[in-house]
Amino acid sequence: VQQTSFPEQRIDWDELLDNLAGPAETFDHFASQETFRFLTNCGISERLHAIGVKKWRNDITNEIHSAEPVYRFNNSAFLAKIRHVLANHEDEYHKLKEATSILELALWKAKINESNSTYQSQGRKRRIEMDASTFRRQCRMLCGASLVVENVLPFLLPLASLR
């Protein structure tokens, strides 16, 4: 949530949502279901946008806007469920980023090894003329990681996200 009127003031969304999710002892701590859903969406927006898998972001947003009737009068259970789903997706996204980085590095290393052996077997001196940094950069661009990662990524996603 971007604050335009008071950008220097920070909102502690967790505290706000926890207070609103608690028992409605006074009118000051009451929020309608619609208001609570809106504030929940605002409260997790930064974390939600940090998840790079659009389907997961949409799943969480849909969960907020179409909560089951059991949560209708229990904001605390609703908030716990949303936080749990969000934390799981954040964890899976972190693992996914690690896996794709490792895959990209492996492809890059394979291209470097392939290029080194090609230059050695053909007796070319071009490799010697090129500085090491330029050679590594060229191997990175030619290793095909973007194409491979794009096609392997669906197999790295957890099965639950494909439903």
Side-chain angles (χ1 to χ4, degrees):
V1 173
Q2 186 172 15
Q3 296 174 319
T4 54
S5 300
F6 303 99
E8 66 280 350
Q9 289 185 323
R10 303 294 302 157
I11 296 174
D12 186 348
W13 287 105
D14 288 331
E15 182 181 349
L16 174 70
L17 292 170
D18 287 339
N19 285 337
L20 289 174
E25 297 168 356
T26 65
F27 188 71
D28 293 341
H29 294 290
F30 174 77
S32 69
Q33 188 67 22
E34 183 180 348
T35 301
F36 193 75
R37 287 178 190 202
F38 174 76
L39 292 174
T40 300
N41 200 30
C42 292
I44 67 165
S45 65
E46 256 183 60
R47 290 173 62 189
L48 188 63
H49 292 300
I51 297 174
V53 180
K54 186 177 181 178
K55 181 181 180 348
W56 293 350
R57 290 192 311 262
N58 291 342
D59 287 348
I60 294 170
T61 302
N62 290 338
E63 182 75 30
I64 290 171
H65 295 294
S66 61
E68 299 173 18
V70 71
Y71 300 121
R72 184 167 294 156
F73 299 108
N74 189 347
N75 287 342
S76 181
F78 169 75
L79 184 59
K81 166 106 170 144
I82 297 300
R83 285 177 173 166
H84 176 74
V85 171
L86 180 63
N88 283 343
H89 285 322
E90 287 172 326
D91 186 47
E92 288 299 322
Y93 183 64
H94 177 71
K95 290 176 187 175
L96 189 63
K97 281 178 59 174
E98 271 185 25
T100 55
S101 295
I102 290 169
L103 179 58
E104 182 178 356
L105 288 171
L107 292 167
W108 185 15
K109 178 65 174 168
K111 184 63 176 178
I112 288 173
N113 291 342
E114 176 189 321
S115 296
N116 277 335
S117 64
T118 301
Y119 287 128
Q120 289 172 355
S121 67
Q122 294 178 356
R124 292 186 181 179
K125 295 185 179 183
R126 183 176 174 206
R127 165 71 174 98
I128 296 169
E129 296 169 5
M130 197 182 321
D131 70 349
S133 173
T134 304
F135 175 71
R136 286 191 305 270
R137 196 174 310 119
Q138 182 182 24
C139 287
R140 185 171 186 204
M141 288 186 296
L142 298 174
C143 74
S146 60
L147 182 64
V148 173
V149 168
E150 181 182 325
N151 289 306
V152 170
L153 193 59
F155 297 100
L156 297 177
L157 293 171
L159 292 176
S161 70
L162 299 176
R163 292 183 199 146

